Amino acid sequence: MFVVATAGHVDHGKSTLVRALTGMEPDRWAEERRRGMTIDLGFAWTTLPSGGTVAFVDVPGHERFVPNMLAGVGPVPAALIVVAADEGWMPQSAEHLAALDALGVAYGLVAVTRADLADPGPAMARARAEIAATSLGTVPAVAVSGLTGAGLPELRAALDRLAAGLPAPVVDDPVRLWVDRSFTVRGSGTVVTGTLGVGRLRVGDELELAGADEVVRVRGLHSLGEARPEVTAVARVAVNLRGTPRDRLGRGDALLTPGRFHRTDLVDVRLTGDPAADLPATLTMHVGSAAVPVRVRPLGPDTVRLRLARPLPLLVGDRALLRDPGRHHVTGGVRVLDVAPPPLARRGAAVTRAQVLAELDGRPDLAGELRRRRLVRAGALIRMGVPVDAPPVAGDWLADPAHWRRLGEQVTEEVARYAREHPLEPGMPVDALRQRLALPDRVLVEALVRPPLRIHAGRVGAAGADALPEPVARAVQRVRAEYGDRPFRAPEADRLVDLGLGPREIGAAVRAGALLRLADNVVLLPDVLDDAVRVLAGLPQPFTLSAARQALDTTRRVAVPLLELLDRRGATRRLPDDARIVVT
């Protein structure tokens, strides 16, 4: 199947032509048939001479219904531009063409209708000349009459050739189905329709409902009036949703492959059409079947930032158009450059941002995104529409290679600076290093730490960084020399000061395992515990505190916390009468 949208001035015979080609009535409303004028989108299809199928999205031509027209054209890859031979090129012909050009539609053909009423030559020549200056370029043209049927075989053949020239559909990409209709079928529930531009849908699929942040399930699929277990792009499709009230979604909403789209209300875009400086402050952006008011902030000559009235699932490279509904004027097309742009908080930020955007072309570029963002999660890039084929540096984080190298150098510098500023600490806390490097995730710090640095006990330092600073090491050595033959004696507070062991030095020595802290200002050498147990085991069991003190040749100031420590470690057990036994 290929899908084509009609375009053209009101009352130039678009619906009549679709009716003649398909034998189906595209005008769905009684009011449309009564007035003889298309108001909303119509749908019909037919088989072409090749055996392929063309589905038409018939759009209204009156200027009051341009938003409806744009909802139908937005997701469609090709256009059938209709011009009446007896009236020629008209204002809505021009506005519809401007819309197609703004959306970047590159495939189409011209049908000059009512060829039985006037010479089609002048209208055909004018239409082709107008179209040639747009994204459609040179297009074939066919003169037809919906009333007499003249030219219809030639038009069908031209549609066949148009279908053959379209790019092959992409069926493995994630689904983004812009909804153009929502209604209820008795016994089935809510049904939505749209043009499936890429991807595939299957019965039973789970999809996200854009804007509602909820998952819906596909109960059934119809295409060309038939139930199908699967529909692949490009196709007109009706999706029956299980358990979803009709009022939960409508035209302009989208059904999405879960986790594959970034919903955003702020985008940076490149303009075609009116200069950025000439745009009004508010416009309407049309993308897919959605029409959303936007606030415009010019950045460069052809780049602007758009603040959307509601978030939309947009990707880098998306095409949209801006329209001034008050003037019935298409101000131009936009190509999305960034769906997650940085804030413009500092003075001069807009000028700098314009310089960055000047280098972008709207084509997803992994290397460029990494260069600009420095660090970004792979999933975030995928949801922006950027293919990811590079390995992460940590977890699911991707990094610009040059930035990652600089961070590695900065780690060494920051750890060395911290060691100078905190000479008694055994390395820099990991979270302090993360904050100093402005990193969003601890795993990035862990990935950046490489030999000769290491992470030990939540701190980053040189391998062997648990070695004591020289002044502390000398003080501990003096303790060992002075108390080595009296291992259960502890220096008094004033002696600790004389030895050069203040609270910070003691803390550093204890963390490094060079001293054992029993209580405030009560420290022993670290290898005394096993010796203490051996001495106590030689006493008659159970033993008292006094007996332990005498056996260990120490003071009550040391014996009490030492025995309590042995109790906590399970080497001794305190009995109800306060005596103890050694646990063997």
Side-chain angles (χ1 to χ4, degrees), residues 60-78:
H62 196 282
E63 66 177 6
R64 287 188 302 168
F65 306 119
V66 168
N68 290 349
M69 174 266 179
L70 294 173
V73 169
V76 174

Side-chain angles (χ1 to χ4, degrees), residues 161-446:
R161 290 191 294 271
L162 177 62
L166 292 175
V170 180
V171 298
D172 295 324
D173 277 7
V175 167
R176 178 176 50 175
L177 181 71
W178 293 102
V179 173
D180 52 39
R181 277 197 301 163
S182 175
F183 52 92
T184 300
V185 175
R186 185 183 298 274
S188 296
T190 298
V191 175
V192 299
T193 67
T195 299
L196 182 63
V198 297
R200 68 177 74 233
L201 286 170
R202 298 183 181 92
V203 173
D205 280 353
E206 288 188 342
L207 300 171
E208 284 181 354
L209 177 56
D213 208 20
E214 65 178 279
V215 174
V216 296
R217 185 179 294 276
V218 177
R219 179 181 182 182
L221 293 170
H222 277 70
S223 186
L224 306 182
E226 296 181 2
R228 299 173 186 256
E230 175 181 295
V231 177
T232 59
V234 173
R236 287 293 304 172
V237 61
V239 185
N240 181 201
L241 299 174
R242 186 185 305 276
T244 304
R246 179 188 172 186
D247 60 5
R248 298 297 290 273
L249 73 173
R251 179 171 294 173
D253 288 322
L255 297 176
L256 312 171
T257 298
R260 296 300 300 271
F261 291 88
H262 177 71
R263 291 187 285 273
T264 180
D265 62 357
L266 190 69
V267 291
D268 287 347
V269 302
R270 171 158 289 113
L271 297 169
T272 58
D274 295 354
D278 295 344
L279 296 180
T282 58
L283 291 168
T284 298
M285 185 176 81
H286 295 264
V287 58
S289 62
V292 178
V294 296
R295 295 191 62 82
V296 180
R297 178 176 181 176
L299 298 175
D302 65 346
T303 53
V304 298
R305 175 161 291 187
L306 302 178
R307 174 71 69 176
L308 283 61
R310 65 181 175 92
L312 292 179
L314 300 179
L315 300 172
V316 173
D318 275 346
R319 301 295 297 259
L321 69 83
L322 297 176
R323 184 171 182 267
D324 185 343
R327 294 190 297 148
H328 302 289
H329 171 61
V330 174
T331 62
V334 300
R335 191 175 186 95
V336 176
L337 302 178
D338 194 340
V339 296
L344 302 177
R346 297 182 179 178
R347 186 173 183 178
V351 174
T352 302
R353 183 60 177 166
Q355 294 169 348
V356 172
L357 296 177
E359 300 176 358
L360 305 185
D361 59 8
R363 286 180 289 190
D365 170 28
L366 177 61
E369 292 292 340
L370 293 180
R371 188 168 57 253
R372 288 184 292 276
R373 299 181 189 278
R374 297 187 175 185
L375 287 167
V376 62
R377 292 186 184 274
L381 286 179
I382 290 171
R383 288 190 292 274
M384 296 177 199
V386 180
V388 173
D389 56 6
V393 294
D396 66 340
W397 287 97
L398 299 172
D400 172 59
H403 180 59
W404 192 246
R405 285 193 298 271
R406 289 192 296 271
L407 284 173
E409 296 167 357
Q410 195 176 350
V411 164
T412 303
E413 296 167 0
E414 294 294 344
V415 171
R417 180 182 293 112
Y418 192 89
R420 291 192 299 270
E421 296 170 352
H422 306 83
L424 299 181
E425 293 191 22
M428 185 176 187
V430 170
D431 199 56
L433 180 56
R434 182 189 67 79
Q435 293 178 25
R436 190 75 65 88
L437 298 176
L439 295 175
D441 196 327
R442 182 187 175 103
V443 299
L444 294 168
V445 179
E446 296 169 352

Side-chain angles (χ1 to χ4, degrees), residues 19 21 50 151 182 235 270 280 287 307 339 390 412 455 470 474 508 532 546:
R19 196 177 300 115
L21 286 167
S50 66
S182 175
R270 171 158 289 113
V287 58
R307 174 71 69 176
V339 296
T412 303
I455 298 178
E470 183 61 27
R474 285 198 304 269
S546 177

Side-chain angles (χ1 to χ4, degrees), residues 78-115:
L80 173 62
I81 301 168
V82 177
V83 181
D86 57 337
E87 291 191 358
W89 196 253
M90 297 290 284
Q92 285 312 113
S93 307
E95 185 171 11
H96 283 202
L97 179 61
L100 296 173
D101 184 37
L103 292 170
V105 176
Y107 300 91
L109 59 88
V110 174
V112 179
T113 56
R114 302 213 286 259

Side-chain angles (χ1 to χ4, degrees), residues 43-61:
F43 309 96
W45 58 89
T46 190
T47 302
L48 295 171
S50 66
T53 301
V54 57
F56 293 96
V57 179
D58 187 35
V59 307

